[in-house]
């Protein structure tokens, strides 16, 4: 029998793509706060605001793994981030505990480590250095995943996604890009492989990457796509407006609203 998985954020860009790819292997239920334009034929879509714990409790019954992609995906007011990213994520983990869900695959972000400099190559053990309220909410997600793995044995797989698009469109993507198929491969590893708690980087096979993805390779990740295939003069240079953006891994997420002292930042 196919394993039953729940994808949050299924009406969104990545959740919708994952829904299509993973439905070939699993029985997938999609959920989102908004309706999807996609045709969820032969599968189920449930409207649910993740801020509503009782509803989350209801939709996580008899689920093997949750692929948690529903959130605000960019910087926003702390209030919005608190409700839609932090509280909503807490509800997902807590409902998973009550309903004995086995695994949670969490859509983390490179903005958890955005304040690291680009000259440093990071692995899964590096310090969290969020660059925004948004990045801070993803630190919370990784930490609750660690807590629920150690304390309640819900296996946690956090993917620090770089930039997931069909192809790189900006120079930064030569370092951060992941193709939708490579992302789906990583999510599938999170659903199907044996582990306790992992942090991996959501990147394709990019030779300008700032991240050492050994934790993902150990579990069998073999990225098929390569950002350099798309390197050309037409890529935008969105970060070139700011020296700060170019210095730190989070790019414009770091430079927007920056009032710090660069020389004081290690
Ligand atoms: P998206 O905005 O297209 O999808 C997010 C979905 O979450 C939306 O459909 C939205 O309605 C839903 N959502 C938001 N608040 C909700 C709530 N309270 N209850 C239920 N659903 C809610 O964004 P995208 O790009 O597909 O991102 C998906 C996930 O991947 C996000 O968690 C994002 O932080 C993460 N991510 C995405 C990256 C990318 O390159 N697109 C990079 C790094 C992380
Ligand atoms: C993210 O976390 C965002 O969700 C996405 O919209 C991109 O901005 C991405 O990071 C990135 O850093 O390119």
């Amino acid at each position: 029998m196919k394993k039953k998985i729940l994808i949050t954020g299924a009406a969104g860009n990545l959740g919708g793509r994952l829904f299509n790819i993973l439905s070939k292997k699993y029985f997938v239920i999609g959920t989102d706060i908004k309706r999807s334009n996609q045709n969820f034929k032969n599968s189920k879509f449930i409207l649910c605001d993740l801020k509503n714990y009782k509803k989350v409790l209801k939709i996580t019954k008899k689920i093997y793994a949750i692929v948690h992609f529903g959130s605000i995906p960019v910087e926003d007011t702390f209030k919005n981030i608190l409700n839609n990213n932090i509280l909503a994520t807490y509800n997902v983990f807590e409902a998973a505990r009550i309903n004995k869900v086995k695994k949670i695959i969490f859509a983390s972000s490179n903005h958890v480590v955005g304040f690291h400099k680009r000259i440093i190559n990071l692995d899964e053990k590096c310090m969290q250095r969020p660059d925004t309220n948004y990045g801070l909410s993803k630190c919370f997600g990784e930490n609750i995943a660690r807590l629920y793995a150690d304390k309640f044995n819900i296996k946690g797989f956090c993917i620090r996604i770089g930039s997931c698009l069909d192809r790189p469109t900006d120079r930064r993507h030569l370092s951060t890009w992941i193709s939708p198929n490579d992302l789906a491969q990583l999510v599938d590893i999170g659903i199907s492989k044996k582990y306790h708690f992992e942090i991996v980087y959501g990147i394709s096979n990019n030779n300008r990457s700032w991240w050492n993805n050994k934790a993902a390779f150990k579990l069998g990740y073999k990225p098929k796509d390569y950002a350099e295939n798309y390197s050309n003069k037409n890529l935008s240079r969105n970060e070139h407006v700011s020296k700060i953006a170019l210095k730190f891994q989070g790019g414009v997420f770091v430079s927007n609203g920056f009032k710090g002292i660069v020389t004081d930042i290690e």
Side-chain angles (χ1 to χ4, degrees):
M1 209 169 64
K2 283 183 175 177
K3 286 197 170 95
K4 206 184 217 184
I5 66 164
L6 177 76
I7 301 185
T8 71
N13 176 22
L14 303 189
R17 289 166 184 270
L18 288 173
F19 190 95
N20 286 332
I21 301 171
L22 296 173
S23 303
K24 291 172 193 147
K25 183 166 174 189
Y26 302 102
F27 179 79
V28 186
I29 299 173
T31 182
D32 204 292
I33 196 172
K34 65 178 191 201
R35 286 193 189 284
S36 167
N37 313 324
Q38 208 166 301
N39 180 6
F40 285 89
K41 60 175 183 315
N42 302 328
S43 43
K44 230 169 137 184
F45 181 84
I46 308 170
L47 274 179
C48 173
D49 180 350
L50 298 174
K51 296 193 286 296
N52 184 329
Y53 175 67
K54 279 192 180 157
K55 283 198 177 155
V56 180
L57 199 56
K58 216 167 152 185
I59 65 169
T60 48
K61 284 193 199 317
K62 299 201 169 96
I63 296 290
Y64 174 77
I66 301 174
V67 177
H68 179 37
F69 272 61
S71 85
I72 295 174
V74 286
E75 181 59 326
D76 206 324
T77 62
F78 185 68
K79 193 175 172 199
N80 286 343
I81 293 286
L82 181 64
N83 288 325
N84 294 287
N85 292 17
I86 298 179
L87 175 64
T89 296
Y90 174 78
N91 287 344
V92 167
F93 276 83
E94 187 53 12
R97 180 180 74 82
I98 298 291
N99 285 323
K100 300 189 168 41
V101 172
K102 302 278 183 255
K103 292 175 169 181
I104 300 184
I105 293 83
F106 174 62
S108 186
S109 167
N110 68 90
H111 297 290
V112 160
V113 292
F115 254 106
H116 282 282
K117 292 183 186 138
R118 292 185 180 190
I119 48 167
I120 300 166
N121 196 266
L122 306 175
D123 68 9
E124 73 287 355
K125 292 205 175 75
C126 74
M127 199 193 279
Q128 292 179 334
R129 295 187 70 168
D131 54 26
T132 40
N133 296 325
Y134 166 67
L136 197 56
S137 75
K138 296 295 181 180
C139 292
F140 173 80
E142 290 187 357
N143 289 337
I144 194 172
R146 172 100 249 183
L147 172 67
Y148 275 58
D150 292 346
K151 198 148 190 168
F152 306 119
N153 197 31
I154 299 177
K155 304 306 186 191
F157 193 77
C158 302
I159 309 175
R160 286 184 181 161
I161 306 169
S163 312
C164 187
L165 312 116
D166 287 325
R167 64 189 62 79
T169 56
D170 186 84
R171 282 193 68 76
R172 179 170 181 271
H173 298 157
L174 297 176
S175 302
T176 61
W177 182 60
I178 180 165
S179 66
N181 281 331
D182 282 346
L183 180 64
Q185 188 194 145
L186 271 178
V187 172
D188 191 17
I189 285 171
I191 298 169
S192 60
K193 292 287 166 83
K194 205 168 150 45
Y195 58 87
H196 178 62
F197 171 83
E198 296 288 344
I199 290 174
V200 300
Y201 288 90
I203 31 161
S204 283
N205 184 17
N206 310 333
N207 64 356
R208 300 192 206 200
S209 163
W210 305 315
W211 309 314
N212 175 344
N213 216 2
K214 61 181 169 21
F217 299 142
K218 215 169 151 187
L219 285 168
Y221 178 50
K222 289 193 177 64
K224 295 215 165 59
D225 293 305
Y226 182 46
E228 224 56 42
N229 285 341
Y230 302 91
S231 174
N232 65 56
K233 283 187 211 134
N234 298 328
L235 293 177
S236 59
R237 290 170 180 257
N238 290 340
E239 302 178 321
H240 287 235
V241 288
S242 158
K243 279 189 185 151
I244 307 288
L246 284 168
K247 198 171 188 71
F248 295 99
Q249 299 199 359
V252 294
F253 281 57
V254 170
S255 60
N256 285 346
F258 183 81
K259 298 277 188 292
I261 301 169
V262 180
T263 48
D264 283 356
I265 306 172
E266 276 175 31

